[in-house]
Amino acid sequence: MAKNDTTSHNFPPIKNDLLLRTARNEKVERPPIWVMRQAGRYLPQYHERKGTKDFFECCRDEETSSDLTVQPIDEYAGLIDAAIIFSDILVVPQAMGMEVVMLDKVGPHFPHPLKSPEDKQYSEIMERKVDCAKELDYVYKALTMTRKKLDGRVPLFGFCGAPWTLLCYMVEGGGSKLFKEIKRWIYQYPQASAALLQRIAEVCVDYLALQVAAGAQIIQVFDSWAGEMSPQAFKDFSFPYLDYIARHLPWKLAEMGLEKVPMVVFAKGAWYALEDLCKTDYNIIGLDWLHDPAQAYAIAQKYGKVLQGNMDPGVLYGDRSSITAAVQNMVDGFGKGKQGWICNLGHGVTPFIDKEKLRFFFQEVRRLTSS
């Protein structure tokens, strides 16, 4: 019999299971709400808690990571229905042996990105046996600690980056506007690219399974750069590896004696792939703001899938009437929030957002979906 994580770690029982019920596509009293990057720099207390630590130091210190995860749950008490662990998708390339640093006002940087399949580093990564339990132990400690701190108030998300997005960073050396290097890789070295994408997918499965063992109650796979590909390239270099994770994570959990958890996929910019993603084993499909809510909801309903999203975070720079209008558009499109919709933004909270505008967003969702 699969283990119940509440008993194996002595976690407090869940008090607000609205998001988990919605993830199972049950009819609910209102839509659950959370937002990507809800733990972050828009909150003044984030900077106070972070202190002089750099970003990855915060991720590696389980106390700091846990505290930052819980901050928005405290700030918006009673308004948010999930927490997401404070971490980063790039801990996976780090575990695979690559150096990643976070440069102030620049973002993530790989001092030694992959140059070609002839690069010695490529063969080292392909041959390296990644011990996820050891290399990413700090993430699991933070998850377990956070579950206890949350005291059952809301469920806790674990996550990873999608293989395509991780490979983009590993090859580009950081964020990019042109994506010249990754395009060169997939079109000059398609077989080597596919082999490395598969290797990353296997590591992601192990990593996510261990997150669940540590206390994650739902997981999300972030394909942040999916929109940088044509539909055909997405089918060749992203979709197969997203699908691999969705098919193999439940098997891995069963092998470990753990119960399945809901799985979310968020392929930003891949609006053309919604129906294909609905045919996978993911329970929830994350949407960016390129989707019309009503059209997306109609497609998802055909396949019994739940949607998550999708207000443009840029609306939060506007006035309250703009926020109300955007929320109403979502509520009308996503079946009034009674089944099949987790309310979220279409991407993470962006810099310089007023935390009170975000509070108003939460309040408006609650007001406009109350029975």
Side-chain angles (χ1 to χ4, degrees), residues 98 110 113-115 166-174 180-185 196:
M98 295 193 76
F110 288 66
L114 292 168
K115 298 296 184 185
L166 295 179
L167 184 60
C168 286
Y169 279 107
M170 292 161 73
V171 168
E172 293 287 344
K180 176 175 74 75
E181 295 304 319
I182 187 62
K183 298 293 178 75
R184 184 174 64 83
W185 262 78
L196 185 47

Side-chain angles (χ1 to χ4, degrees), residues 8 59 63 151-152 184 190 213-214 236 240-241 262 266 270 290 344 346 357:
S8 61
C59 294
E63 279 280 5
D151 193 32
R184 184 174 64 83
D236 292 339
Y241 309 101
F266 177 57
L290 299 180
N344 206 309
K357 296 260 186 85

